[in-house]
Amino acid sequence: METIAAVATAPGRGGIGIVRLSGAKALEIALLITQRDSVDNRFAHYAKFTDRHDRVIDDGLVIGFTGPQSFTGEDCVELQGHGGPVVIGLLLQRCLELGARHANPGEFSERAFLNGRIDLIQAEAIADLIAADSTTAARQAQASISGVFSTSINQIMRDITGLRVFVEAALDFPEEEIDFISEGNVDQQVDLILEHLARLIRQAKEGAILQGGATLVLAGKPNVGKSSLLNALSGEDIAIVTDIAGTTRDVLKQTVVICGVPFELIDTAGLRTSNDPVEIEGVRRAEAAISQADILLEVIDDSSKDVSNSALTSGIKVVNKIDLTDRTPGPIDGGKAVAVSVHTGEGIDALKQLILETLGITEQTENRFSARERHLRALREGHTSLAEAVQRFLATRAGELLAEDLKKTHDILGAITGKLTSDDLLGEIFSSFCIGK
Ligand SMILES: Nc1nc2c(ncn2[C@@H]2O[C@H](COP(=O)(O)OP(=O)(O)OP(=O)(O)O)[C@@H](O)[C@H]2O)c(=O)[nH]1
Ligand SMILES: [Mg+2]
């Protein structure tokens, strides 16, 4: 493997700038730059960093991490100098002159994965931790890095392996196959695995939403209070509110955190037919936003005499302006509707609760971990595949088919931790990382 080098600190100026190296020549390069004879493992040595004319580029710390007990599993070195773009650029340049290659985005993590130091879930969680823009997202990513998600998926993989071993063994002794079918409790074992998978899917879904956030679109007829609700939920006076129907023309986006969950809140133009070309375009954009929504909040004016108040059919109905109608605030009929008054604030907490419920987010915060759409897709696919396997087995009683189906499920789930992953997928995952990570 070539030795790679990259600036590991963020671009710009800072107290410290770090150049990181990994590979067989990492230590040799560090010794040449620092003009030292040796670097102790995991020890911070003060050193001068020199260029090819022995001129001092900078001074700072050199720390060596001897493989395989290092982040990448290879010999690694950190050169910690002053955090200026020019000085750190000179230091990187010197590493390249001495035989290192500039690292690709995520290449350090990719090597850690390829050398078995971390699995794919953990590698992705590192990127998610760096990208986290809320404390919830950061905590979850840390949980995945420390293996909370991996442990659950590995347990399920082991259970499937156990079942596969059992089925394969039974196939090798055909005269005992009858016993295996009736006494092996194969269907019960599969049911248990399905249950564990279903629970993991729920957790991963929650993890994915808390990680990536969800899109919440405010829609409805003009003047019902959509922009007022955006302002109330964000706690800021962002959108223009007037009593003139058709105030909002454009799509307005704002990131808000509701009970620790990040949302992209989108306010739209009131839906109505109009001859005004600006408003027509506004309505067109509103409809486009509606089609992209994870959750649609349809705002309705409770005081309006307009019987066709409801313009849309799906999502959460927010019955607003109940201060004018004396309707009781809170959930309506226990369903997907809630009565609020943006003016008095009544019912807003119930609305927040309903939003979280609709996304399947529980109050419970332990066992939370970060997950990605990719994981969720594979978990669902694995669940479907296993459910079909047991159906087919019960219908046909064919052990060979079951063995094949179990292998298929195993392969699908194996892609989550990266035990069985195509090179294309790896390339796609690691290319989205930062350089130097
Ligand atoms: N009484 C009462 N009035 C409200 C309430 N919420 C909003 N309004 C008023 O309703 C009017 C319209 O509010 P907006 O938030 O601009 O309504 P909108 O749905 O964004 O309207 P468009 O942008 O025109 O589609 C304003 O005069 C608000 O003050 C409420 O809870 N009670
Ligand atoms: Mg508006």
Side-chain angles (χ1 to χ4, degrees):
M1 278 265 193
E2 288 169 290
T3 299
I4 51 172
V7 177
T9 36
R13 295 185 165 79
I16 294 170
I18 300 177
V19 172
R20 195 180 200 192
L21 291 146
S22 178
K25 287 169 82 176
L27 287 168
E28 180 193 320
I29 292 171
L31 294 181
L32 288 168
I33 292 179
T34 57
Q35 303 191 342
R36 291 180 59 90
D37 298 329
S38 66
V39 168
D40 296 340
N41 188 25
R42 295 164 180 265
F43 189 90
H45 297 277
Y46 171 74
K48 294 208 183 308
F49 306 144
T50 55
D51 69 9
R52 83 174 104 159
H53 306 295
D54 294 339
R55 280 185 309 218
V56 175
I57 300 170
D58 194 5
D59 60 341
L61 297 177
V62 53
I63 310 175
F65 303 88
T66 318
Q69 301 297 324
S70 67
F71 174 67
T72 60
E74 306 170 333
D75 285 349
C76 290
V77 169
E78 282 185 19
L79 298 169
Q80 308 193 347
H82 294 96
V86 173
V87 68
I88 219 72
L90 286 171
L91 194 54
L92 175 64
Q93 189 51 44
R94 186 68 189 130
C95 294
L96 302 182
E97 279 169 17
L98 291 170
R101 163 172 73 68
H102 199 285
N104 297 320
E107 200 170 0
F108 290 88
S109 302
E110 185 174 15
R111 290 189 176 191
F113 165 69
L114 293 173
N115 290 324
R117 301 288 295 162
I118 51 174
D119 68 22
L120 208 46
I121 290 178
Q122 292 169 309
E124 291 170 307
I126 292 172
D128 291 340
L129 178 65
I130 291 171
D133 50 17
S134 70
T135 41
T136 312
R139 287 211 181 96
Q140 290 195 143
Q142 187 49 53
S144 285
I145 291 173
S146 60
V148 175
F149 187 8
S150 307
T151 307
S152 300
I153 191 81
N154 287 337
Q155 183 57 50
I156 291 174
M157 293 284 280
R158 268 199 299 280
D159 290 346
I160 295 177
T161 305
L163 206 55
R164 283 182 67 188
V165 168
F166 181 78
V167 173
E168 301 279 355
L171 288 176
D172 286 342
F173 300 97
E175 65 278 8
E176 290 170 28
E177 197 171 333
I178 299 298
D179 288 344
F180 137 74
I181 290 166
S182 53
E183 291 168 21
N185 295 334
V186 169
D187 50 342
Q188 285 171 27
Q189 290 190 53
V190 170
D191 278 350
L192 204 62
I193 297 173
L194 282 174
E195 221 174 88
H196 291 161
L197 262 177
R199 190 168 60 215
L200 200 55
I201 288 170
R202 278 196 303 277
Q203 289 176 306
K205 185 174 168 220
E206 190 170 336
I209 290 167
L210 291 171
Q211 200 68 33
T215 312
L216 209 57
V217 175
L218 293 161
K221 300 219 157 180
N223 222 30
V224 292
K226 300 178 294 298
S227 302
S228 306
L229 185 56
L230 173 97
N231 291 343
L233 289 173
S234 67
E236 284 178 65
D237 189 15
I238 295 160
I240 301 173
V241 168
T242 73
D243 57 5
I244 304 163
T247 299
T248 307
R249 300 297 192 90
D250 243 329
V251 167
L252 198 68
K253 298 183 182 179
Q254 174 67 13
T255 305
V256 299
V257 175
I258 298 175
C259 306
V261 183
F263 285 95
E264 182 167 58
L265 197 54
I266 300 182
D267 183 23
T268 61
L271 299 169
R272 66 171 171 187
T273 35
S274 163
N275 293 323
D276 176 357
V278 180
E279 192 165 4
I280 291 170
E281 178 58 17
V283 170
R284 195 192 65 74
R285 290 178 186 215
E287 282 163 350
I290 289 166
S291 69
Q292 301 287 315
D294 289 318
I295 293 194
L296 187 62
L297 292 185
E298 186 191 355
V299 187
I300 296 161
D301 181 347
D302 201 28
S303 70
S304 163
K305 301 286 172 291
D306 185 358
V307 279
S308 60
N309 209 334
S310 177
L312 306 156
T313 48
S314 65
I316 297 176
K317 288 202 185 351
V318 184
V319 178
N320 187 29
K321 306 195 190 183
I322 56 164
D323 51 298
L324 301 176
T325 60
D326 290 329
R327 190 197 284 268
T328 318
I332 298 174
D333 305 330
K336 288 241 173 253
V338 57
V340 307
S341 164
V342 175
H343 274 192
T344 66
E346 290 173 298
I348 298 294
D349 283 342
L351 170 63
K352 290 179 179 173
Q353 226 39 58
L354 189 56
I355 292 169
L356 297 180
E357 251 171 56
T358 307
L359 281 174
I361 291 171
T362 57
E363 291 283 327
Q364 183 197 352
T365 55
E366 65 260 38
N367 296 328
R368 272 189 183 167
F369 52 75
S370 63
R372 294 180 167 195
E373 274 303 315
R374 180 185 84 78
H375 307 140
L376 204 49
R377 262 200 318 274
L379 286 171
R380 287 186 176 133
E381 219 183 299
H383 188 277
T384 308
S385 153
L386 192 59
E388 283 172 5
V390 73
Q391 287 304 322
R392 222 186 331 259
F393 174 65
L394 291 177
T396 62
R397 296 273 158 184
E400 292 87 352
L401 271 184
L402 180 61
E404 245 173 66
D405 284 343
L406 287 176
K407 179 179 181 309
K408 187 177 150 208
T409 307
H410 211 221
D411 289 352
I412 293 168
L413 296 176
I416 299 177
T417 54
K419 284 202 175 68
L420 307 150
T421 307
S422 72
D423 289 347
D424 291 353
L425 179 64
L426 290 183
E428 196 183 308
I429 289 171
F430 287 107
S431 63
S432 67
F433 276 52
C434 310
I435 297 216
K437 189 62 242 175

